[in-house]
Amino acid sequence: MLASEAESPKGVGSTRMPTGEHTIGTKTAQRRKNRDKQSLDYVLRSGLAGGLAGCAAKTVVGPLDRVKILFQASNPQFAKYTGSWFGVVTAMKDIYSQNGALGLFKGHSVTLLRIFPYASIKFLAYEQIRHVFIKRRDQETTIRRLASGSLAGITSVFFTYPLEVIRVRLAFETKRDTRSSLSGICKQIYHERPPLPLNATSTHASAVLTASPSAITAAASSTVQQITPRTGLANFYRGFSPTMWGMLPYAGMSFLTHDTAGDWLRHPSIVEYTTLPSTAASSSVDAHKPAQLKVWAELLSGGFAGLVSQTASYPLEVIRRRMQVGGAVGDGHRLGMAETTRAIWRERGFRGFWVGLTIGYIKVVPMVATSFFVYERGKYWLGI
């Protein structure tokens, strides 16, 4: 009787789960929590993976990025190198001889400061927007993938664009005696003010004297132009319009191409050669999660994505760079997108919109490949 009573707590009426099953249940619940893309846990983990991916990618191509900016922005000291296949190497040697190894990474600290939030927002925004647009496997269409990537790119660049302008201005400087600090560049950009039109005062005076309707209209227009903010925070958004337009094809094609290439590389006929079977889904909770690609396959899909996206958006990138350095050259006039386009066409014609494309490929292919590789591995390591 006593033995029966002693055994009853472990037998009849017991709800305790065996240790092994309890552990499995806990892990399953944790995986389910991590896979809920609307949860704060998933957002933070995907943002961390994206930020680290962006920093790793930019560090790999830091010197190439510096030279590419100098080419795109038509820096007078480096314009002579743009027409040669060996111009990139020669320009890097020139920078190294003048400023040492650190010269090749000028502006890189600002790059990392900007790229972490930029990449973090871009990747987590893509995951969230994709979750809204693509809820089922049959919704994995080209248009939905393209739209998800484009909107993610626009979201990220909106919040981090001022840091991009600062980075470009730091990288644009090449002379040792004009090297500026981060705070100095910020003050310079903030206080830049384009000169007033030469006929502003005379137009206003003539309107008062003649009092004709057309003259009064011209004077009013001149007055509005003078009181319109022409300095301050607006200077940190130089080149923002072409950036927004350029981000549509760049981010959209980047994510679209990477996802599509990933599908190709996971085709049943070659999946055993391109994926890591040990990373495949091991439960019903993660049944929709594909196996990780092997290192070479992931780098291949990312590099191909970089090649396609760079080609699709490069002319707009050239326009953006010229607008960003507008205060550092000429009279400080804030160039519009149309005005910048006409200036590039006058200077070099059609080829002017593709200046630096070679170095663009050399830079973007490894950069995007590294970015997607670190992001995909980061998600796996972080359990999402």
Side-chain angles (χ1 to χ4, degrees):
M1 188 68 179
L2 292 174
S4 176
E5 292 177 358
E7 292 175 359
S8 62
K10 296 181 182 179
V12 181
S14 174
T15 58
R16 181 175 298 176
M17 186 182 298
T19 303
E21 295 181 10
H22 176 71
T23 303
I24 294 174
T26 301
K27 289 183 177 179
T28 302
Q30 182 63 36
R31 282 198 299 268
R32 183 178 291 108
K33 179 181 178 182
N34 291 347
R35 292 300 299 174
D36 181 9
K37 294 190 176 184
Q38 300 298 314
S39 67
L40 178 62
D41 181 77
Y42 189 96
V43 170
L44 293 177
R45 288 170 184 257
S46 61
L48 176 60
L52 293 175
C55 290
K58 278 294 186 180
T59 300
V60 167
V61 298
L64 290 173
D65 198 29
R66 173 86 199 280
V67 175
K68 192 185 77 160
I69 289 174
L70 294 174
F71 283 4
Q72 287 180 330
S74 297
N75 185 287
Q77 186 178 348
F78 289 85
K80 58 186 177 183
Y81 300 133
T82 58
S84 171
W85 284 98
F86 298 99
V88 175
V89 177
T90 307
M92 292 177 67
K93 288 181 178 179
D94 194 356
I95 295 173
Y96 182 83
S97 63
Q98 291 185 26
N99 302 292
L102 292 179
L104 295 172
F105 287 91
K106 187 172 184 180
H108 190 62
S109 59
V110 179
T111 296
L112 297 182
L113 183 64
R114 164 194 168 269
I115 202 62
F116 187 89
Y118 168 79
S120 178
I121 294 172
K122 182 179 72 173
F123 280 109
L124 74 85
Y126 178 70
E127 296 286 355
Q128 297 301 312
I129 296 171
R130 177 186 166 86
H131 179 69
V132 173
F133 285 178
I134 306 174
K135 296 182 179 297
R136 302 184 307 273
R137 184 66 180 174
D138 62 336
Q139 293 181 334
E140 290 273 359
T141 63
T142 299
I143 296 299
R144 290 175 184 269
R145 284 178 169 178
L146 182 65
S148 298
S150 297
L151 291 176
I154 290 175
T155 301
S156 61
V157 79
F158 177 79
F159 289 103
T160 60
Y161 190 79
L163 288 172
E164 167 70 359
V165 174
I166 297 171
R167 179 183 75 89
V168 170
R169 291 292 290 272
L170 282 171
F172 186 72
E173 294 184 351
T174 57
K175 296 181 180 179
R176 182 185 295 270
D177 57 352
T178 59
R179 186 178 299 171
S180 301
S181 63
L182 175 59
S183 60
I185 283 289
C186 291
K187 291 178 181 178
Q188 179 183 342
I189 295 174
Y190 185 87
H191 292 291
E192 283 173 355
R193 185 182 180 90
L196 291 172
L198 296 177
N199 62 347
T201 304
S202 59
T203 300
H204 186 274
S206 61
V208 175
L209 295 175
T210 61
S212 66
S214 59
I216 293 176
T217 301
S221 176
S222 176
T223 302
V224 170
Q225 185 177 12
Q226 293 181 52
I227 65 176
T228 299
R230 292 146 55 81
T231 185
L233 295 179
N235 288 338
F236 290 92
Y237 279 85
R238 279 178 168 155
F240 187 66
S241 296
T243 299
M244 296 292 284
W245 285 108
M247 189 54 64
L248 290 172
Y250 181 80
M253 292 301 296
S254 180
F255 281 107
L256 169 63
T257 306
H258 174 264
D259 289 355
T260 303
D263 291 343
W264 294 342
L265 292 170
R266 290 185 178 91
H267 191 273
S269 62
I270 60 173
V271 67
E272 63 178 307
Y273 306 108
T274 60
T275 62
L276 300 171
S278 60
T279 63
S282 58
S283 71
S284 60
V285 176
D286 294 325
H288 63 290
K289 187 176 180 180
Q292 290 279 306
L293 293 173
K294 292 182 178 180
V295 175
W296 69 267
E298 186 62 66
L299 292 175
L300 177 64
S301 65
F304 183 55
L307 183 71
V308 174
S309 60
Q310 178 76 348
T311 303
S313 63
Y314 196 79
L316 287 167
E317 185 178 353
V318 173
I319 296 172
R320 171 169 63 100
R321 297 297 192 199
R322 288 291 294 272
M323 293 177 69
Q324 286 174 336
V325 300
V329 295
D331 61 0
H333 176 56
R334 187 182 298 162
L335 299 174
M337 185 174 178
E339 185 178 358
T340 304
T341 302
R342 289 193 296 268
I344 295 173
W345 180 267
R346 284 196 304 269
E347 292 173 6
R348 302 194 179 189
F350 179 77
R351 297 185 63 181
F353 295 97
W354 305 95
V355 170
L357 181 59
T358 302
I359 188 176
Y361 285 142
I362 296 174
K363 170 207 162 187
V364 167
V365 171
M367 183 185 74
V368 177
T370 302
S371 179
F372 276 116
F373 173 78
V374 175
Y375 179 66
E376 292 296 334
R377 289 297 193 266
K379 288 202 303 179
Y380 178 74
W381 294 330
L382 292 171
I384 52 175

